[in-house]
Amino acid sequence: MTVDLVVRNCTVVTPAGRTPDTGVAVEDGTIVAVGRTDRLPGAERVLDANGNVLAPGVVDCHIHNREPGLEYKEDWESATRAAAAGGVTTVVGMPNTDPVIDSPEHLELKYERGEAGAHVDFQSYAVVTSENLDLIPDLDDAGVLGYKIFLGSTVGDVPPPTDGEILEAMERIGETGKRLGFHEENGEIIDHYTERFKREGRNEPIDHSHSRPVIAEREAVERMITFAEETDASVHMFHVSSGSAAEAVARGKDRGVDVTAETTPHYLWFTEDVMREKGNVARIQPPIRDADERARLWEVGMDGGVIDCIATDHAPHTPEEKKVDDPFGNTWDATSGFVGLETEVPVALSFVDEGRLTLEEWVRRHSTRPAQVWGMYPQKGSLQVGTDADFTIVDPDTEWTLESADELHSKNCVTPFVGESFVGKATATVVRGEIVYQDGNVVGESGYGTRVDVD
C-alpha cells in the first residue's frame, strides 16, 4: 500500500498524552493511520519531522480577517498566509466587516471570498443585531458556524440589541443547536468613563485601558450567563481578559450553564504596563489588565480549567491607524487591535517551556477544545482515522526573538510582541494532507483552504 503522504519521526501529542517515534499516514486528505514510524506504509511524499512534536492542527476560533470591505487592513489571503506560517490550520472570521455578516447573502459573500483566497480552512460567525433576529434560522441554514453579539463599543461600531432582544436571540439560536458568543463589555460603563476621561484631558494609552474597567467585563459576563440560564442557551465568552471575568464564568459553569470561554496570548503574557512601555501599539479591547488580574486569570482560568480555548483576536490595522509614529500620543485618535496569528503558538509553547502548561493542555485548548466548542470536532481538532489530516508540527525547544514586524505575513503587522523572546515555533503546517508551510516558507496555494462544514 502506498499513500499520498507520510509524516514520520514525530512525537505525536493529543490531550490524552504523547507518543514518541510515531507518524501519520494520509490518503485523499484524511488520516488513514497513526502509528510507529517503522510500521507506516510507503508514500508518494514523506515529511520528516526530525523528532519534533506533531499536534492536531491549531484552530483559532477568533480572527478579524477584514474581508469583505476592509481589505486595506487584511483579507482572507493575507490572514491565512499568516495562519499557515504560524502553524494554524483552521480560522474563524469575525462578522464586523463591511458589509457586516448579518444575512445569508453577506455570509455567502464571505465564504466566496474565502474559497477564492484562503491558504487554510475557515469558517465565519454572523452578527446578531436588533435588525436581523428573524434571519437567525436562515443563517443557520446557510451554514454559519455560530453567532456573535457586540455588547460594548468596538471596531466597526456594531450596535448591540436590547436585553429583551438578546433573550429572544438566545431562544432562537437555541433552536438551531448552535452557540452564541459575546464581546462582553458593558457599553454604558465604557461610554461613561470614556467621555469623562476625554473631558478631563486624560488621553494617554493607559487611560484607554482604564476607561474600560474590569467591572464592565465582569458585569457583561454575569448578565449573559444569567440570560443563558433562563433560556438554556449555549453561550461563549470571547477574549476573557481578567481573572474577575474568569471567576464569573466559573460560577456559571458551577450552576450548570452551558458557557464556554476563551482567552488570548496577550492577556496571559503582558500586564497593563505594556501600555506604558509600548503605548497605543498595545491598545486592544478589552484592554490588557494589571498584574493581579493576570495572576487570577492564570489561577482560575488556566490552572483551574475554566478557560476552554486559546485564540488570538487577530485584528490588523495600518500603522497610521495604530499611530505607530507617535505611540504615546492621544489614545483617542488610535485604533484598538493588533495581529497575533504568528505569535500564538510560540507564546503557548513558551508557557510549556516555563512549566505553566503541559503539551497536552496546550493541544486541548488550542486545537481540540475550540473544535468541540464550535461543532467542528472530530473533523478538526483530532488525530482520529478518517478525519481531516490537519497537523501543526513544532520545535518546542528553539529559542528566538521577534525582531521586527516585517518578519510577519499579514498585510499590516503591528504587534506589541515585537522584541519579545520565545521558546518554540511552528516548523510545518499541513492542511488536509497538503503541506502549506515548511522551512520558513508558505508553500501552499491561496484558494486551497475551504469552508468547514458544520452540523
Side-chain angles (χ1 to χ4, degrees), residues 5 7 24 26 31 54-57 89 383 389-393 428-431:
L5 173 71
V7 185
V24 185
V26 179
I31 298 170
L54 182 147
T89 60
L383 293 178
D390 296 349
F391 314 134
T392 300
I393 302 172
T429 308
V430 179
V431 179

Side-chain angles (χ1 to χ4, degrees), residues 64-94:
H64 296 267
N65 69 287
R66 305 301 188 199
E67 189 174 11
L70 302 170
E71 289 87 351
Y72 76 95
K73 296 176 187 277
E74 186 82 294
D75 54 34
W76 273 123
E77 191 281 326
S78 58
T80 56
R81 182 175 2 120
V88 179
T89 60
T90 301
V91 297
V92 187
M94 283 292 163

Side-chain angles (χ1 to χ4, degrees), residues 10-14 17-24 34 52-56 383:
C10 318
T11 294
V12 168
V13 178
T14 70
R18 63 189 80 178
T19 310
D21 192 25
T22 304
V24 185
V34 180
N52 286 323
V53 166
L54 182 147
L383 293 178

Side-chain angles (χ1 to χ4, degrees), residues 14 43 53 91 109 115 244 268 304 401 410 430:
T14 70
V53 166
V91 297
L109 175 62
E115 296 283 357
S244 295
L268 297 171
T401 299
S410 285
V430 179

Side-chain angles (χ1 to χ4, degrees), residues 74 131 181 203 228 406:
E74 186 82 294
E131 307 299 324
N203 56 16
D406 293 338

